[in-house]
Amino acid sequence: MDGRTGLPLVGMVGGGQLARMTHQAAISLGQSLRVLSVSADDSAALVAADVRIGSHTDLTALREFAGGCDAVTFDHEHVPGDHIRALEKDGIKVYPSADALIFAQDKGRMRERLSELGAPVPRWRRVRELADITGFGLPAVAKATTGGYDGRGVWMLQDEAQAQELIATGTSLIVEERVPLRRELAALVARSPFGQVAAYPIVETVQQDGICVEVIAPAPGLPEQRALEAQQLAIDLATALGVVGLLAVELFETDDDLMVNELAMRPHNSGHWTIEGARTSQFEQHLRAVLDYPMGATTLTAPVVVMANVLGGPPGGISIDERVHHLFAEDPGARVHLYGKQVRPGRKIGHVTVLGDDLAEVRARAARAAKRLQEGI
Ligand code: ADP
């Protein structure tokens, strides 16, 4: 507890934009997030008052950081399970627990557990040697079991030579069928230690080159029955895996089915729209969940909400400050979130959210706003 305010102290490991936006939500609850950041220039380190500089792989740094926190949580999944267990043994409440987080850290363990639970997943297999891939059948999708993000660590394998080359790198892999997906969806739920769950409306996520560029809430044209099914699936998984905090379930929609692609146990890019687009933002919901507060309402605040990611554009052009100026002049309704990150081509540096009634118009405005910030034109 923060002795100055009588309100809880939550520590978040990792100083990225997710911690930055969680800090923003913490402020409304009278709190101030403690952040463990590798650099003083990280997004959240630039804004939080209580920043500890240190590595998430250094147990001593983690222990010093966690001391005095009412709950410790994460902005990424890279903290080793043994370190989390050590904190748990110290009596720190760590959410999600090491036993739950493993299923978001390791794609092999995740696929195994989902298969055991009877959740719909693409046909898959662990890879130890070339025969595991050729025997599985090509073309296929190979994935690094750990460390991948934004499409890094995912390979669309066409032939044996590519498979051979990948195996030679020594990367720990799974292989799975290339799903004939119609589109990608995401189900976001939160669960508290008490066991209360809250589910957000199902969204459509649009990917380009493995990176999410746009999120549409609610997912256009999704039959109510399928939306309910997806929400129930996410709730069942959160409960079965013992998740505390947010669980994002990335889904593939095929012509007649839903399949689970990925799990994340933290605020997720597919939920940034909730800051303005839902009664309770995912960031506040995550804090409520890890503090065992009752969950907040997840209903939409407008018929259509679209979030577009802002990626670093090509170098040169007008400054980011001028771009914001032009955007505000053009569209006073566009909501801008910049993460205070150095611009590098392709890097997520912010997002914009637009609310409205007409899907085509709201999508066009969000895309236009993101392009303005990204390219300056
Ligand atoms: P990351 O962990 O990098 O986000 P994902 O497993 O989510 O990796 O894969 C990135 C993207 O690659 C997905 O959003 C999807 O577009 C595509 N993809 C992944 N697996 C498959 C698959 N089995 N079939 C078809 N497309 C896939």
Side-chain angles (χ1 to χ4, degrees):
M1 192 211 282
D2 186 327
R4 298 164 300 181
T5 59
L7 286 163
L9 175 61
V10 176
M12 191 171 258
V13 179
Q17 64 263 26
L18 303 178
R20 183 182 173 105
M21 291 185 273
T22 306
H23 175 57
Q24 209 164 5
I27 293 171
S28 302
L29 303 181
Q31 305 170 23
S32 183
L33 200 67
R34 176 182 290 177
V35 173
L36 180 67
S37 184
V38 289
S39 152
D41 295 333
D42 284 349
S43 288
L46 292 174
V47 295
D50 187 358
V51 179
R52 312 291 167 96
I53 302 298
S55 168
H56 50 271
T57 57
D58 174 354
L59 182 55
T60 309
L62 280 167
R63 281 200 158 117
E64 275 170 21
F65 157 80
C69 287
D70 293 276
V72 165
T73 185
F74 311 102
D75 117 321
H76 56 65
E77 37 273 318
H78 308 312
V79 182
D82 285 345
H83 288 5
I84 298 175
R85 277 192 198 92
L87 296 180
E88 288 167 349
K89 275 218 182 83
D90 291 348
I92 306 286
K93 289 180 178 159
V94 189
Y95 298 126
S97 67
D99 288 349
L101 190 62
I102 186 66
F103 303 114
Q105 291 177 313
D106 182 317
K107 288 184 180 173
R109 295 289 303 275
M110 185 252 291
R111 284 272 179 271
E112 237 157 46
R113 190 77 187 104
L114 291 177
S115 306
E116 279 168 17
L117 291 169
V121 291
R123 193 170 64 85
W124 74 284
R125 168 189 293 185
R126 277 190 189 276
V127 176
R128 288 184 187 82
E129 54 188 10
L130 183 62
D132 292 326
I133 297 182
T134 49
F136 183 83
L138 286 162
V141 183
K143 295 184 174 180
T145 53
T146 58
Y149 68 99
D150 284 351
R152 280 173 244 195
V154 175
W155 299 271
M156 302 291 168
L157 297 180
Q158 300 298 334
D159 55 40
E160 203 173 314
Q162 281 178 336
Q164 177 75 66
E165 206 178 301
L166 182 58
I167 286 196
T169 62
T171 311
S172 163
L173 298 168
I174 59 167
V175 66
E176 62 186 34
E177 66 177 302
R178 185 162 192 169
V179 176
L181 50 103
R182 205 200 276 167
R183 61 177 173 172
E184 297 186 47
L185 304 174
L188 185 66
V189 295
R191 182 171 174 275
S192 69
F194 180 72
Q196 194 190 359
V197 289
Y200 285 94
I202 303 302
V203 298
E204 176 174 345
T205 63
V206 182
Q207 327 278 326
Q208 252 166 37
D209 303 323
I211 298 188
C212 170
V213 291
E214 185 191 19
V215 175
I216 308 167
L222 187 67
E224 199 184 330
Q225 190 49 39
R226 191 166 272 197
L228 284 172
E229 229 174 83
Q231 285 179 317
Q232 192 61 53
L233 173 65
I235 289 170
D236 290 347
L237 289 178
T239 307
L241 302 178
V243 178
V244 168
L246 289 168
L247 171 70
V249 182
E250 294 178 21
L251 297 161
F252 293 145
E253 189 184 24
T254 63
D255 283 342
D256 41 28
D257 229 340
L258 290 176
M259 281 185 195
V260 179
N261 175 34
E262 266 252 84
L263 304 178
M265 297 178 192
R266 51 170 169 73
H268 192 252
N269 200 169
S270 66
H272 290 357
W273 66 273
T274 59
I275 298 175
E276 293 90 3
R279 293 280 165 213
T280 310
S281 85
Q282 65 163 346
F283 301 100
E284 178 174 325
Q285 198 78 299
H286 189 66
L287 287 169
R288 288 189 189 213
V290 302
L291 289 168
D292 213 1
Y293 284 171
M295 299 290 92
T298 53
T299 37
L300 291 153
T301 59
V304 180
V305 185
V306 174
M307 187 255 10
N309 273 334
V310 179
L311 306 181
I318 58 172
S319 71
I320 187 80
D321 177 49
E322 281 177 280
R323 293 175 193 196
V324 171
H325 194 118
H326 286 302
L327 166 58
F328 284 168
E330 183 174 87
D331 189 344
R335 306 296 308 157
V336 171
H337 298 262
L338 292 173
Y339 307 150
K341 284 160 89 169
Q342 292 290 319
V343 178
R344 265 192 261 119
R347 186 183 199 200
K348 284 178 192 167
I349 57 164
H351 73 266
V352 291
T353 303
V354 176
L355 281 65
D357 298 307
D358 182 76
L359 177 63
E361 186 213 316
V362 173
R363 284 187 82 178
R365 280 174 57 202
R368 173 84 196 112
K371 190 174 158 73
R372 267 241 178 257
L373 294 176
Q374 214 157 297
E375 297 172 19
I377 46 170

